[in-house]
Amino acid sequence: MSENALELIEKIGLLPLVNVSDPSKAAPIAQALSKGGIDAIEVTLRDATALESLANARKALPNALVGAGSVHNVADAERAIDLGADFIVAPGVDPETIQFCQTRQTPVIPGAVTATEIEQARALGLSVVKFFPADILGGVKAINALRGPFADVRVVPTGGINLDNMTPYAENKGVYALGGSFLTPSAAVAAGDWDAITSTAERAVDKMLGFTMGHVGVNCPTADVARAAAEEFAEIFRFNTREIDISFFGGSAVEAMKKPSFGEHGHIAIATNSMKRAIHHLERRGYSFRFFKNNDKGEMIAAYITNEIGGFAIHLCVKY
Ligand code: 3PG
């Protein structure tokens, strides 16, 4: 694993939980998830066969992230790390287990859902904690409230998350990655229906990225022409106009460029819940990026895909 496992979890954005009693199923589950775009899996250590499942997933996907979950103590953490676990997820804050993982340079995500528990995790040098059971504890409302005093902490919510209710978590900036067993549906696992796991993974990735139309960028020869274009557009639809360094916006739909920029005609911006995750998943599908733009806070606000379509450059932008 060349990249830091924790950073990769953030980019993948989804952490499927695998809870199987038949270790021979671990490898096909991991492969099906990977085929659907998710190169990460958390094998929960909840029965005697779990470590074998972990080892099988590890062997099947040497380049994916394979971690151990439900790790209660140092002994379990040690066994999992010895078998090649890239990360450890623990149900609660056990300082001994956390410090052991740290000495083994293995990222650890402990469950911490109260201010006191989050304080303990922070004192141990952690800024990512598991938030379980997320739905029962108040979902994103609770996460937002806790991030008032703990703005530097991000969470991995699990517990009751599914394809139908995952969007608010995917949109929430405090969510580091979202996890759950919904990505490995028990009926599909029991039936050995690996295609169903792949298609669930694909749907979850799509929902997490939340691609939607952002705006159309029109290349104008001069700033005056751009201003006039944005104003005309805004007048028709009673939108506001807004000037930024390189352009004038007419509402949020049209960006008139002050001078010709990327694309023969202009550009099409596709908005996403997360630039970081969108770049990861698109690169994984073979697309490359040629230009990135950050705002003055250092946050990425545009990422141009190398491909142009129909004379338009394509860039990702953040959903607001
Ligand atoms: C966990 O340990 O994180 C939970 O079992 C996951 O909850 P879920 O099965 O509702 O996704």
Side-chain angles (χ1 to χ4, degrees), residues 17 46 130 132 158-161 179-182:
L17 236 90
R46 291 187 190 169
K130 171 170 162 157
F132 169 81
T158 69
I161 299 176
S181 59
F182 73 102

Side-chain angles (χ1 to χ4, degrees), residues 294-315:
N294 289 358
N295 65 15
D296 48 16
K297 290 187 216 140
E299 298 158 342
M300 192 186 293
I301 51 168
Y304 278 83
I305 296 177
T306 307
N307 306 37
E308 290 195 1
I309 300 176
F312 285 87
I314 313 290
H315 79 72

